[in-house]
Amino acid sequence: MTTKGPASKCPVLTTGEGAPIARQHALTAGPRGPVLMQDAQLLEQMQRFNRERIPERVVHAKGSGAYGTFTVTHDITRFTKASIFSKVGKKTECFARLSTVAGERGAADAERDVRGFAVKFYTDEGNWDMVGNNTPVFFVRDPYKFANFIHTQKREPASNLRCNDMQWDFWSQCPESLHQVTILFSDRGIPATLRNMNGYSSHTYSFINAAGERFWCKFHFKTNQGIKNLSCEESAELIGRDRESHQRDLFGAIERGEFPCWTLKVQIMTQAQADEWSLRTGWNPFDLTKVWPHADFPLIEVGRMELNRNPENYFAEVEQAAFKPSALVPGISSSPDKMLQARLMSYADTHMYRVGVNHHQIPVNKPRCPVMHYMRDGEGATAETYASAPNYWPNTRAGTPMPDENFLDPAWDLGQAVVDRYDSTQDHDDFTQAGNLYRMFDDAHRDRLTTRIAGALGDARQEIQKRQLCHFFRADEDYGKRIAKKLGIDIEAAMAGHHAAAGA
Ligand code: NDP
């Protein structure tokens, strides 16, 4: 059977090299085959198909993305010289990717999980990536535990199943996770949509102002759509009929012109306040498992982020989007947070593996300001940026990029720091803030929280259940008692364990 030429007005189909294609049928010796090796057109199509996937993100594999605009509404130039915040009314283009953490690329959207909240701001002094979550804290504070923790959230090696025993085995031995575990099993554990959740930097960063003063800061993106969540029953019903519910909701809302927006607020801490607060509370301002209470460090309003444009191609723009906390700009810098320090390396590294060493040259990742450096070549390099410019420094060629002392960060005084491998579980209060959160919940919320926890913890071995129960008791006696009761564990015996542990 022959096929007629292309319908009028349609562009002509071509090969990857742009050569016109006459027919999309395999080239065969006779109508029944075999296929000829010389059918380069067919071979190209099959080879390209084999290479369609890039490695899936180990975490945050399933995500939804959209472009938007960030507008400054309040002046914070006393804290930072970052060009994005330089003037009230200033607008900066951004791209956000909101994701689940544990599920693979095909996992359902409406599962109980932390959500990633990553935003790339294309500032005129480079890309600033704010790579946070929808929770203000994280499960661990020592980066050594990160890969281990993620293994417990993924699949058990033999069965390839998610495994509650594995998760609680880890959590019960890492009491610093209790705060985040409480949030995860609270009503905020399953956002109704990606539009109805907050975003947090979680980490402490630093702001640097024009006078070279450093302030510690945390970023909060408060949803203007209001917080809305799904119950376990609602999420099960939703997943049964739509595995892509959150992607569908975000994409559809933007298509309809219902642009979701968030108010950006910051908390600020001076070094003197950090010293005083540490002394008073015993908490480390750079500990990722802790919040800074609003009463001590009130939220300061900064601006408004609106998502208003869907990507045209999911793979090119959302899958290849590469966010890294190390993408910082003058006026925004890092902090001693151990987890942040590790992520500064790890995220940049994973993109080099996943998307390639030249991932910055892909349009969604490409800075909107000039890029000038001496790093060159590698897979996927284009000459667009560097052309024939020299590839070494120092050089004496005219017009080549030079470092500028004006962008120097203030020196960082580490005092008498002693280098050692410090145990991140020793001498920490992992219970007060988790208890504060529990005590904020009304009776019905406490009941739902403890029912969910008992449901999941009940799958773990009894020794794990008992170890974990001690943590709940330490956060709040009522928290422990309710879970013990729902697990069918003798409360008196569990309390005896608690008192023994507290006295240890
Ligand atoms: P505040 O009363 O000033 O603030 C309570 C905060 O808790 C609000 O930001 C609220 O968010 C948030 N919240 C309410 N329900 C949940 C939930 N189920 N999961 C996560 N967050 C929730 O209290 P403090 O600042 O003194 O903090 C008390 C506790 O609140 C902390 O131990 C921490 O667990 C939690 N929290 C604190 C935050 C902070 O930065 N200080 C940020 C988020 C939580 P919203 O205003 O959006 O409703």
Side-chain angles (χ1 to χ4, degrees), residues 141 282-284 287 290 423-430:
R141 62 171 74 93
W283 294 325
N284 168 8
D287 177 349
K290 299 288 181 295
D423 183 344
S424 72
T425 55
Q426 294 298 309
D427 303 325
H428 281 90
D429 166 14
D430 293 315

Side-chain angles (χ1 to χ4, degrees), residues 177-358:
S177 61
L178 187 66
H179 195 177
Q180 177 79 316
V181 166
T182 305
I183 294 175
L184 180 62
F185 284 90
S186 80
D187 284 357
R188 292 202 186 178
I190 315 178
T193 77
L194 297 170
R195 298 182 287 149
N196 295 109
M197 64 183 201
N198 293 337
Y200 302 90
S201 65
S202 313
H203 294 294
T204 299
Y205 286 86
S206 51
F207 269 161
I208 296 160
N209 68 13
E213 295 165 314
R214 192 186 291 272
F215 300 85
W216 305 117
C217 74
K218 280 179 186 276
F219 299 97
H220 301 245
F221 291 77
K222 295 277 200 174
T223 174
N224 292 338
Q225 289 67 241
I227 297 273
K228 283 193 195 137
N229 304 297
L230 298 174
S231 67
C232 295
E233 297 71 28
E234 286 167 334
S235 85
E237 191 276 328
L238 179 55
I239 290 171
R241 91 190 132 71
D242 187 359
R243 295 175 64 76
E244 330 301 337
S245 53
H246 287 36
Q247 163 76 12
R248 198 180 309 286
D249 174 82
L250 183 67
F251 195 88
I254 294 173
E255 284 299 285
R256 292 191 301 274
E258 289 168 29
F259 302 141
C261 61
W262 285 260
T263 300
L264 173 61
K265 300 183 178 188
V266 290
Q267 284 178 296
I268 300 285
M269 195 187 261
T270 62
Q271 184 59 52
Q273 287 174 314
D275 294 340
E276 186 279 327
W277 189 71
S278 275
L279 210 60
R280 177 160 51 87
T281 62
W283 294 325
N284 168 8
F286 311 112
D287 177 349
L288 185 55
T289 68
K290 299 288 181 295
V291 294
W292 298 353
H294 293 133
D296 293 340
F297 302 97
L299 294 173
I300 299 168
E301 193 160 336
V302 181
R304 183 173 181 276
M305 179 181 80
E306 175 187 270
L307 297 184
N308 48 29
R309 181 161 65 90
N310 275 321
E312 287 181 359
N313 182 283
Y314 181 86
F315 181 86
E317 293 156 274
V318 185
E319 189 62 15
Q320 294 196 112
F323 300 90
K324 47 192 167 199
S326 53
L328 295 165
V329 290
I332 307 176
S333 185
S334 60
S335 82
D337 178 337
K338 295 182 195 184
M339 285 291 296
L340 173 61
Q341 294 276 325
R343 290 178 77 216
L344 293 175
M345 180 287 294
S346 178
Y347 280 55
D349 182 61
T350 200
H351 300 313
M352 289 192 198
Y353 163 68
R354 197 178 65 82
V355 193
V357 70
N358 285 305

Side-chain angles (χ1 to χ4, degrees), residues 1 18 34 266 275 383 406 418 474:
M1 210 177 102
V266 290
D275 294 340
N406 285 315
V418 177
R474 283 175 151 189

Side-chain angles (χ1 to χ4, degrees), residues 139 179 351 388 409:
F139 296 91
H179 195 177
H351 300 313
S388 58
D409 275 2

